[in-house]
PDB file of all heavy atoms in Angstrom:
ATOM      1  N   SER A  47      -0.357  -7.410 -19.366  1.00 28.00           N
ATOM      2  CA  SER A  47      -0.283  -7.551 -20.756  1.00 28.00           C
ATOM      3  C   SER A  47       0.033  -6.184 -21.478  1.00 28.00           C
ATOM      4  O   SER A  47      -0.038  -5.196 -20.777  1.00 28.00           O
ATOM      5  CB  SER A  47      -1.708  -8.053 -21.322  1.00 28.00           C
ATOM      6  OG  SER A  47      -2.638  -7.094 -21.095  1.00 28.00           O
ATOM      7  N   GLY A  81      -3.477   4.078 -11.895  1.00 54.00           N
ATOM      8  CA  GLY A  81      -2.295   4.249 -12.745  1.00 54.00           C
ATOM      9  C   GLY A  81      -1.771   3.047 -13.471  1.00 54.00           C
ATOM     10  O   GLY A  81      -1.027   3.189 -14.406  1.00 54.00           O
ATOM     11  N   GLU A  97      -4.965   9.912  -8.339  1.00 48.00           N
ATOM     12  CA  GLU A  97      -5.199   8.492  -8.364  1.00 48.00           C
ATOM     13  C   GLU A  97      -5.930   8.088  -7.109  1.00 48.00           C
ATOM     14  O   GLU A  97      -5.704   8.448  -6.087  1.00 48.00           O
ATOM     15  CB  GLU A  97      -3.917   7.737  -8.368  1.00 48.00           C
ATOM     16  CG  GLU A  97      -3.527   7.137  -9.692  1.00 48.00           C
ATOM     17  CD  GLU A  97      -2.219   6.387  -9.578  1.00 48.00           C
ATOM     18  OE1 GLU A  97      -2.260   5.298  -9.026  1.00 48.00           O
ATOM     19  OE2 GLU A  97      -1.227   6.878 -10.045  1.00 48.00           O
ATOM     20  N   GLU A 118     -28.810 -13.463   3.222  1.00 98.00           N
ATOM     21  CA  GLU A 118     -29.594 -13.007   4.353  1.00 98.00           C
ATOM     22  C   GLU A 118     -28.699 -12.988   5.531  1.00 98.00           C
ATOM     23  O   GLU A 118     -27.942 -13.929   5.832  1.00 98.00           O
ATOM     24  CB  GLU A 118     -30.762 -13.952   4.591  1.00 98.00           C
ATOM     25  CG  GLU A 118     -31.775 -13.289   5.540  1.00 98.00           C
ATOM     26  CD  GLU A 118     -32.267 -14.226   6.607  1.00 98.00           C
ATOM     27  OE1 GLU A 118     -31.982 -15.422   6.589  1.00 98.00           O
ATOM     28  OE2 GLU A 118     -32.999 -13.699   7.617  1.00 98.00           O
ATOM     29  N   PHE A 286     -26.866  12.349  -1.752  1.00 92.00           N
ATOM     30  CA  PHE A 286     -25.891  12.436  -0.575  1.00 92.00           C
ATOM     31  C   PHE A 286     -26.285  13.503   0.396  1.00 92.00           C
ATOM     32  O   PHE A 286     -25.542  13.713   1.314  1.00 92.00           O
ATOM     33  CB  PHE A 286     -24.520  12.656  -1.181  1.00 92.00           C
ATOM     34  CG  PHE A 286     -24.056  11.696  -2.142  1.00 92.00           C
ATOM     35  CD1 PHE A 286     -23.721  12.165  -3.428  1.00 92.00           C
ATOM     36  CD2 PHE A 286     -23.886  10.368  -1.821  1.00 92.00           C
ATOM     37  CE1 PHE A 286     -23.336  11.168  -4.434  1.00 92.00           C
ATOM     38  CE2 PHE A 286     -23.486   9.468  -2.807  1.00 92.00           C
ATOM     39  CZ  PHE A 286     -23.177   9.960  -4.020  1.00 92.00           C
ATOM     40  N   ASP A 293     -34.676  11.087   7.459  1.00 98.00           N
ATOM     41  CA  ASP A 293     -33.609  10.073   7.626  1.00 98.00           C
ATOM     42  C   ASP A 293     -33.627   9.409   8.996  1.00 98.00           C
ATOM     43  O   ASP A 293     -33.996  10.046  10.031  1.00 98.00           O
ATOM     44  CB  ASP A 293     -32.209  10.741   7.433  1.00 98.00           C
ATOM     45  CG  ASP A 293     -32.022  11.252   6.053  1.00 98.00           C
ATOM     46  OD1 ASP A 293     -32.548  10.563   5.127  1.00 98.00           O
ATOM     47  OD2 ASP A 293     -31.388  12.219   5.859  1.00 98.00           O
ATOM     48  N   ASP A 342     -21.722   0.762 -22.320  1.00 92.00           N
ATOM     49  CA  ASP A 342     -21.732   0.934 -23.753  1.00 92.00           C
ATOM     50  C   ASP A 342     -20.638   1.929 -24.101  1.00 92.00           C
ATOM     51  O   ASP A 342     -20.915   3.147 -24.157  1.00 92.00           O
ATOM     52  CB  ASP A 342     -23.051   1.365 -24.372  1.00 92.00           C
ATOM     53  CG  ASP A 342     -23.086   1.364 -25.851  1.00 92.00           C
ATOM     54  OD1 ASP A 342     -21.998   1.095 -26.434  1.00 92.00           O
ATOM     55  OD2 ASP A 342     -24.146   1.607 -26.421  1.00 92.00           O
ATOM     56  N   GLY A 452      -8.947   0.327  24.304  1.00 98.00           N
ATOM     57  CA  GLY A 452      -8.086  -0.849  24.635  1.00 98.00           C
ATOM     58  C   GLY A 452      -6.668  -0.788  24.081  1.00 98.00           C
ATOM     59  O   GLY A 452      -5.951  -1.876  24.162  1.00 98.00           O
ATOM     60  N   SER A 455      -2.740   0.762  28.394  1.00 97.00           N
ATOM     61  CA  SER A 455      -2.974  -0.099  29.540  1.00 97.00           C
ATOM     62  C   SER A 455      -3.792   0.582  30.640  1.00 97.00           C
ATOM     63  O   SER A 455      -4.356  -0.094  31.450  1.00 97.00           O
ATOM     64  CB  SER A 455      -1.657  -0.482  30.096  1.00 97.00           C
ATOM     65  OG  SER A 455      -0.820   0.593  30.500  1.00 97.00           O
ATOM     66  N   SER A 472     -21.610 -12.005  15.415  1.00 97.00           N
ATOM     67  CA  SER A 472     -21.563 -12.916  14.208  1.00 97.00           C
ATOM     68  C   SER A 472     -22.937 -12.977  13.690  1.00 97.00           C
ATOM     69  O   SER A 472     -23.873 -13.092  14.380  1.00 97.00           O
ATOM     70  CB  SER A 472     -21.034 -14.272  14.582  1.00 97.00           C
ATOM     71  OG  SER A 472     -21.116 -15.174  13.467  1.00 97.00           O
ATOM     72  N   ILE A 493      -2.588  -1.555   0.049  1.00 90.00           N
ATOM     73  CA  ILE A 493      -2.422  -0.153   0.298  1.00 90.00           C
ATOM     74  C   ILE A 493      -0.961   0.221   0.687  1.00 90.00           C
ATOM     75  O   ILE A 493      -0.708   1.453   0.955  1.00 90.00           O
ATOM     76  CB  ILE A 493      -3.438   0.428   1.337  1.00 90.00           C
ATOM     77  CG1 ILE A 493      -3.103  -0.234   2.774  1.00 90.00           C
ATOM     78  CG2 ILE A 493      -4.825   0.180   0.931  1.00 90.00           C
ATOM     79  CD1 ILE A 493      -3.888   0.488   3.858  1.00 90.00           C
ATOM     80  N   VAL A 499       2.437   4.420  -0.446  1.00 86.00           N
ATOM     81  CA  VAL A 499       3.489   4.609   0.554  1.00 86.00           C
ATOM     82  C   VAL A 499       4.540   5.555   0.063  1.00 86.00           C
ATOM     83  O   VAL A 499       5.060   5.342  -1.060  1.00 86.00           O
ATOM     84  CB  VAL A 499       4.067   3.274   0.979  1.00 86.00           C
ATOM     85  CG1 VAL A 499       5.273   3.446   1.843  1.00 86.00           C
ATOM     86  CG2 VAL A 499       3.006   2.426   1.611  1.00 86.00           C
ATOM     87  N   GLY A 539     -25.414 -11.350  27.383  1.00 89.00           N
ATOM     88  CA  GLY A 539     -25.437 -12.786  27.376  1.00 89.00           C
ATOM     89  C   GLY A 539     -24.973 -13.406  26.057  1.00 89.00           C
ATOM     90  O   GLY A 539     -24.954 -14.657  25.932  1.00 89.00           O
TER      91      GLY A 539
END
Side-chain angles (χ1 to χ4, degrees):
S47 66
E97 255 182 73
E118 192 225 352
F286 306 116
D293 294 324
D342 187 353
S455 59
S472 174
I493 66 167
V499 172

